[in-house]
């Protein structure tokens, strides 16, 4: 019986393999040949040509990075007020006479160095995506199972994130942790908007 | 071999970039652009989509340079952002819909290049064949083989990226090589061959 390809790959990569397999490969020309082929394929993959970015790529990147910084500086006052109002909402929720839900994860209270990326940008992006979602048509009464499952999963995760952010003062969420949660919220909201848009586009036909 | 190993960005440039210096931003882009774009194109062969992801990757890198803690190499940090962006793109229901991928069918290839022109240079022809074969793999399988065999990720690291197990990563790698072999040499059997008898390796030539 010859060695399986996964066993040959383990041999190739120096991963643990049963001794009898290693012994067999050493004495079997078919398996040895296959092993050599796998080694060769890896070398060929590593030798494939690289790609140069499009010549115009940097201009687009620079424009987005610089324009964001310019908008950030000019809208600092407005953004700071927005962050303050959101924090005020969090504080308002935290001072209500009820305990956080039992499934709220107790994040580490160890102080991490604060994320250098502006948190307010993520909050702004998240708000923009919420607004976009509001402008989409309501979910239809009849949906494809796969689509409904995807949307439900996204919405449930976003709701969980919102709970985490809402109870931030109680759980001692620091800036770096808050940044990660907002980052995930933006990514999930982005996906949700696109899926809902795709669904509404399908229904338009 | 991963092209990220050759990236050199000085601590001064990183500090300047974190402070928003445009020249430092461009220096980082020039140093990292080709390895990043190569990685993206290997995981996302469609050029238009890859160009979009390239921009997203560098916008995130340049906006968040200040969050690079200095633990691990700067190139490794850059690569992790690029890999995560690529995998997010591939997982996005929106992008998978655009690629006409059936979410349940990992066997469907994303793109198969067609080029009937003969290539007089055998080595060049072999590289092009491998390029085509790699492109013809399903996105997840292609990602695993590239991350493992070229970028040097371990199965545990790949499993963490994909939210799966190391066994899953190993099975995907085995699947990748099985399919590559079938695409590169349709005459060969899929396994070393239950039908082929073991042929002892001669030791007394």
């Amino acid at each position: 019986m010859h060695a399986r390809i996964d066993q040959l790959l383990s041999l190739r990569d120096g991963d643990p393999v049963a001794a009898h397999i290693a012994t067999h490969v050493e004495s079997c020309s078919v398996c040895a040949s296959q092993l050599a082929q796998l080694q060769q394929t890896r070398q060929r993959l590593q030798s494939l040509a690289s790609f140069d970015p499009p010549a115009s790529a940097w201009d687009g990147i620079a424009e987005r990075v610089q324009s964001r910084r310019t908008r950030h500086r000019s809208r600092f006052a407005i953004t700071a007020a927005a962050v303050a109002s959101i924090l005020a909402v969090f504080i308002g929720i935290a001072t209500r006479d009820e305990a956080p839900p039992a499934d709220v994860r107790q994040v580490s209270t160890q102080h991490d160095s604060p994320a250098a990326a502006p948190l307010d940008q993520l909050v702004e992006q998240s708000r923009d995506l919420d607004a976009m979602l509001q402008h989409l048509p309501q979910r239809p009464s009849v949906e494809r199972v796969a689509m409904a499952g995807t949307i439900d999963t996204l919405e449930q995760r976003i709701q969980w994130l919102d709970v985490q952010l809402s109870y931030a003062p109680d759980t001692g969420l620091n800036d770096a942790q808050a940044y990660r949660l907002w980052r995930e919220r933006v990514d999930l909201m982005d996906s949700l908007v696109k899926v809902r848009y795709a669904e509404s586009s399908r229904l338009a036909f | 071999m991963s092209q990220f190993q050759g990236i050199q960005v000085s601590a001064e440039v990183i500090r300047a970039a974190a402070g928003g210096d445009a020249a430092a931003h461009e220096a980082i882009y020039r140093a990292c652009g080709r390895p990043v774009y190569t990685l993206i194109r290997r995981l996302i062969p469609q050029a238009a989509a890859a160009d979009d992801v390239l921009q997203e990757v560098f916008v995130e890198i340049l906006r968040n340079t200040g969050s690079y803690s200095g633990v691990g190499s700067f190139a490794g940090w850059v690569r992790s952002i690029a890999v995560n962006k690529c995998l997010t793109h591939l997982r996005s229901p929106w992008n998978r819909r655009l690629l006409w991928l059936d979410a349940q069918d990992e066997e469907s290839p994303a793109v198969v290049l067609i080029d009937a022109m003969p290539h007089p240079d055998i080595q060049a022809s072999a590289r092009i064949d491998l390029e085509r074969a790699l492109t013809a793999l399903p996105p997840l399988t292609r990602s695993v083989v590239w991350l493992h065999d070229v970028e040097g990720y371990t199965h545990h690291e790949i499993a963490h990226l994909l939210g799966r197990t190391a066994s899953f990563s190993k099975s995907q790698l085995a699947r990748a090589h099985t399919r590559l072999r079938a695409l590169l040499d349709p005459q060969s059997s899929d396994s070393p061959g239950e039908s082929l008898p073991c042929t002892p390796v001669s030791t007394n030539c």
Side-chain angles (χ1 to χ4, degrees):
Chain A
M1 181 68 71
H2 292 294
R4 298 190 313 266
I5 191 166
D6 60 300
Q7 293 168 327
L8 293 171
L9 285 166
S10 292
L11 269 176
R12 183 198 70 170
D13 300 335
D15 292 335
V17 172
H20 72 277
I21 297 293
T23 303
H24 167 86
V25 173
E26 285 177 4
S27 60
C28 171
S29 65
V30 172
C31 290
S33 172
Q34 297 288 345
L35 178 61
Q37 194 176 64
L38 292 173
Q39 290 166 335
Q40 187 185 52
T41 300
R42 181 174 57 185
Q43 287 169 355
R44 290 171 63 194
L45 285 169
Q46 292 175 352
S47 300
L48 285 177
S50 55
F51 290 90
D52 283 320
S56 60
W58 170 243
D59 293 337
I61 293 165
E63 185 180 336
R64 278 184 65 181
V65 173
Q66 293 304 320
S67 67
R68 193 72 177 181
R69 290 184 61 82
T70 302
R71 286 213 315 271
H72 172 65
R73 281 193 293 269
S74 63
R75 296 173 62 180
F76 179 78
I78 299 171
T79 306
V83 171
S85 65
I86 290 170
L87 287 174
V89 170
F90 290 162
I91 292 169
I93 293 172
T95 54
R96 283 187 307 188
D97 197 17
E98 62 184 33
D103 61 342
V104 172
R105 184 185 304 165
Q106 290 299 314
V107 296
S108 167
T109 56
Q110 181 181 1
H111 177 71
D112 295 329
S113 57
L119 179 60
D120 55 324
Q121 287 184 10
L122 288 178
V123 174
E124 185 181 350
Q125 287 175 19
S126 188
R127 188 169 51 242
D128 290 342
L129 288 165
D130 280 327
M132 289 171 64
L133 193 64
Q134 294 300 320
H135 282 96
L136 289 173
Q138 295 282 341
R139 289 176 71 175
S141 55
V142 177
E143 290 178 308
R144 293 181 65 185
V145 172
M147 181 73 79
T150 298
I151 294 174
D152 288 345
T153 300
L154 288 169
E155 289 181 342
Q156 285 167 13
R157 180 66 185 177
I158 292 168
Q159 285 171 8
W160 183 86
L161 287 169
D162 288 343
V163 169
Q164 294 286 315
L165 290 167
S166 297
Y167 286 94
D170 290 315
T171 56
L173 209 65
N174 60 37
D175 287 349
Q177 290 159 341
Y179 176 85
R180 282 196 290 273
L181 292 178
W182 278 107
R183 175 76 264 171
E184 185 177 358
R185 191 181 196 280
V186 167
D187 289 343
L188 291 174
M189 281 298 299
D190 181 65
S191 294
L192 180 60
V193 166
K194 287 172 177 173
V195 171
R196 287 286 310 281
Y197 178 81
E199 182 181 54
S200 64
S201 298
R202 177 195 293 269
L203 292 174
F205 291 98
Chain B
M1 195 65 63
S2 171
Q3 294 185 4
F4 286 86
Q5 292 180 358
I7 292 177
Q8 297 287 337
V9 179
S10 70
E12 289 76 20
V13 169
I14 295 171
R15 269 196 298 274
D21 182 78
H25 284 170
E26 184 167 359
I28 289 175
Y29 173 78
R30 297 298 172 199
C32 304
R34 177 186 258 204
V36 168
Y37 191 60
T38 299
L39 171 67
I40 294 172
R41 285 295 302 269
R42 291 302 177 196
L43 269 54
I44 305 171
Q46 298 78 18
D51 293 353
D52 288 344
V53 174
L54 173 71
Q55 189 173 99
E56 292 300 320
V57 167
F58 271 100
V59 167
E60 173 141 345
I61 288 170
L62 299 179
R63 281 182 186 166
N64 299 313
T65 310
S67 67
Y68 167 61
S69 61
V71 175
S73 69
F74 183 73
W77 180 76
V78 167
R79 185 177 69 172
S80 68
I81 292 174
V83 169
N84 280 307
K85 284 290 185 186
C86 287
L87 294 179
T88 299
H89 173 91
L90 291 172
R91 280 196 291 254
S92 161
W94 173 259
N95 292 316
R96 291 174 80 177
R97 175 183 170 83
L98 290 180
L99 292 170
W100 295 285
L101 285 174
D102 182 345
Q104 305 303 319
D105 181 12
E106 289 296 342
E107 297 297 322
S108 301
V111 171
V112 177
L113 301 178
I114 299 174
D115 181 2
M117 295 297 293
H119 295 277
D121 186 306
I122 294 176
Q123 263 194 335
S125 177
R127 282 197 295 273
I128 292 170
D129 284 342
L130 181 57
E131 292 252 14
R132 290 181 192 155
L134 184 65
T135 305
L137 295 179
L140 181 61
T141 309
R142 181 175 59 244
S143 299
V144 171
V145 72
W146 189 262
L147 291 176
H148 184 272
D149 280 7
V150 179
E151 295 298 335
Y153 280 77
T154 65
H155 287 297
H156 287 286
E157 289 169 335
I158 294 171
H160 179 71
L161 287 170
L162 299 178
R164 306 283 192 115
T165 63
S167 296
F168 176 83
S169 177
K170 290 178 183 176
S171 70
Q172 285 296 311
L173 184 67
R175 175 182 293 189
H177 279 282
T178 300
R179 294 198 65 166
L180 284 174
R181 181 166 56 191
L183 289 166
L184 293 171
D185 184 9
Q187 306 289 334
S188 68
S189 52
D190 282 345
S191 67
E194 285 94 15
S195 60
L196 288 175
C198 287
T199 308
V201 175
S202 172
T203 56
N204 57 352
C205 293

